[in-house]
Amino acid sequence: MSDNNLPSLIELMLKKLNMSDSAFNVAMVIISIAVILFGGFLGTRITKKLKLPNVTAYIIIGILLVPIWTIIPGAKTEISGIIPKSVINGMEFLTEIALAFIAFSASEFFRIKTLKKAGISVIIITIFEAVGASILVFLVCKFALGIDTAFALVLAALASATAPASTIMTIRQTKAKGEYVDTLLQVVALDDVVSLVLYTVAISVCMAMTSDGSGSGISFESVGLPIIKNFACLAVGFGMGFLLKLLIPSKRSTDNRLIIVIAIIFLFCGICSLLDQSPLLGCMAMGMVYINLTDDDKLFKQLAYFSPPIMLCFFVRSGMNFNLQSFTNMSMLGYVPLFVVALVYFVVRIAGKYGGAYAGCAVTKKEKRIKNYLGLGLVPQAGVAIGLATMGARIFIGQGHADLGNNLVTIILASSVLYELVGPGLSKLGLYLSKSYTTDINEVVPEGNVSVNQEQLSPVELLTRQIEKIRQEYKDEVLSPEEEAFNEAIDDYYEALDFEVDKNYGRFVNRRRR
């Protein structure tokens, strides 16, 4: 029996129940999705103990769920794995949906007033760090590793992408603020625009060069037409941003707001699929138009609560495409194993990102703390790169180059796991070294900000006012039940000590001082 004809564990179990074909197919899909979701959740329980990102757990779980013959060379078994191959193939649409959600979420930071304040400097820095990483990766892959020119171009284009989710998560966790944070967020948001442009050109050139192996296939149809299609998707994205604003007035209910935005995003993904283009750039345009017309960031937060199961399925499915056998074998790309290519890509991209960001900051004359540490916040890479790599693999496979597609996904997945291990830590280090956040409460809330009329405060009262100052600053944030309970306990404690609310003195003031 060939590999492709081997049944999965789920199929074997369901066949023993003597179900009808229609019931069998429905049950197979539903149970497979449940296994993916539950497997991803269990994986995060382990990575949480190790203080690792959830994305790492999802990819590893996906690797464990793939057909056994792809992860154990030469294994002889009567099953192909846990998840049926037909379900894995049927979930291919998740790539476009996940990219759309990532892009729309990142567009929240494309406020025109913020971009105007930053000026041309952010664009210059973004071009330097994105193109710098791409150039360095291409040179090393082409001349040091001997990788084919066409494939090296695609790999280099993917090197420019950054994972906005990891960086944003780290900033929110540390409550970091300041010029460094503003610059980092704007660069990360613009970064994926540059990456998509580079990727579109690179994948077009690659397909033209691999069509006959000489590069004579390069033409307007193979290179220029995809760029025009991307601009068409961009224009449609702008239009849908206006449509979204019209369909979501301020009085629209919360449920209907979520329904409308998901419907619009799905519709746009369908249009992009018809044109065989990524929805990334257009969804950024859609979100940018909406946030600038409405200044409504609540919609983005609401979507963030809906997206985790979709992102989990996307990353787990991406892990299923990881091919350990090709990872350890000598690569057809050059004269080194594929795992060496992935490791070199990992190191060289970090060097290119840091060096490009440093050079861009130097050209724009950014202050030293931004110039020295901005590159540390640009290391994470996951969602956008994996999504684009998956789309690229699909194009390669459709053109009869399945080996190139599998190699591309394997390299990006392996390096993404490494980036998710070190990326958040380096981002946090950059925030700390740039003094965008601190653990010293006297730096967060100086004594002068809570002392009135030079009154003398005891250490306990000073600390109390500092804590309340911080609480007031973040009072609009959604608190967990544990945080709410903690705050209620603090209020009860202050009441017992004869404190009361006073707007002139801060959150709490001792009545006996009055």
Side-chain angles (χ1 to χ4, degrees), residues 145-208:
L145 301 182
I147 292 177
D148 179 72
T149 301
F151 192 88
L153 280 172
V154 177
L155 202 58
L158 291 176
S160 62
T162 302
S166 295
T167 302
I168 293 169
M169 177 192 67
T170 306
I171 290 172
R172 286 175 176 170
Q173 286 176 345
T174 58
K175 310 296 184 186
K177 292 183 176 181
E179 186 180 356
Y180 176 90
V181 174
D182 293 340
T183 303
L184 179 60
L185 286 173
Q186 292 160 15
V187 169
V188 167
L190 289 172
D191 185 272
D192 289 330
V193 177
V194 177
S195 176
L196 182 60
V197 173
L198 294 176
Y199 172 81
T200 301
V201 175
I203 197 71
S204 302
V205 173
C206 181
M207 291 310 303

Side-chain angles (χ1 to χ4, degrees), residues 339-362:
F339 78 88
V340 174
V341 178
L343 186 60
V344 170
Y345 171 85
F346 169 75
V347 175
V348 173
R349 177 185 169 275
I350 292 177
K353 283 285 181 180
Y354 186 88
Y358 187 93
C361 289

Side-chain angles (χ1 to χ4, degrees), residues 280-457:
L280 190 65
L281 195 58
C283 272
M284 284 185 176
M286 186 195 310
M288 186 183 81
V289 170
Y290 181 80
I291 192 65
N292 282 284
L293 288 178
T294 65
D295 202 29
D296 175 24
D297 59 349
K298 292 182 179 179
L299 183 67
F300 295 86
K301 293 177 182 177
Q302 189 178 4
L303 196 63
Y305 283 111
F306 174 85
S307 61
I310 294 177
M311 302 308 297
L312 184 154
C313 291
F314 164 66
F315 284 116
V316 170
R317 185 189 178 276
S318 298
M320 293 176 185
N321 293 322
F322 187 86
N323 192 320
L324 184 60
Q325 186 171 2
S326 65
F327 193 56
T328 54
N329 290 343
M330 292 297 291
S331 168
M332 65 155 287
L333 302 175
Y335 45 80
V336 294
L338 208 60
F339 78 88
V340 174
V341 178
L343 186 60
V344 170
Y345 171 85
F346 169 75
V347 175
V348 173
R349 177 185 169 275
I350 292 177
K353 283 285 181 180
Y354 186 88
Y358 187 93
C361 289
V363 170
T364 56
K365 297 181 179 180
K366 288 287 184 180
E367 57 182 292
K368 186 177 180 180
R369 64 188 181 91
I370 298 178
K371 179 175 66 176
N372 289 346
Y373 307 120
L374 185 65
L376 297 177
L378 301 173
V379 170
Q381 183 180 55
V384 173
I386 293 175
L388 291 178
T390 303
M391 293 184 68
R394 190 168 63 211
I395 294 174
F396 281 130
I397 293 172
Q399 296 293 329
H401 299 285
D403 46 2
L404 289 178
N406 292 332
N407 287 340
L408 182 65
V409 171
T410 300
I411 291 171
I412 297 300
L413 281 175
S415 59
S416 292
V417 171
L418 295 176
Y419 284 127
E420 287 302 300
L421 292 177
V422 304
L426 290 177
S427 294
K428 189 172 182 179
L429 179 63
L431 292 170
Y432 179 78
L433 293 176
S434 65
K435 298 183 178 180
S436 299
Y437 84 97
T438 178
T439 57
D440 185 350
I441 193 169
N442 290 315
E443 292 186 27
V444 177
V445 183
E447 182 177 347
N449 289 358
V450 295
S451 179
V452 181
N453 298 327
Q454 304 300 320
E455 61 179 320
Q456 295 298 317
L457 299 177

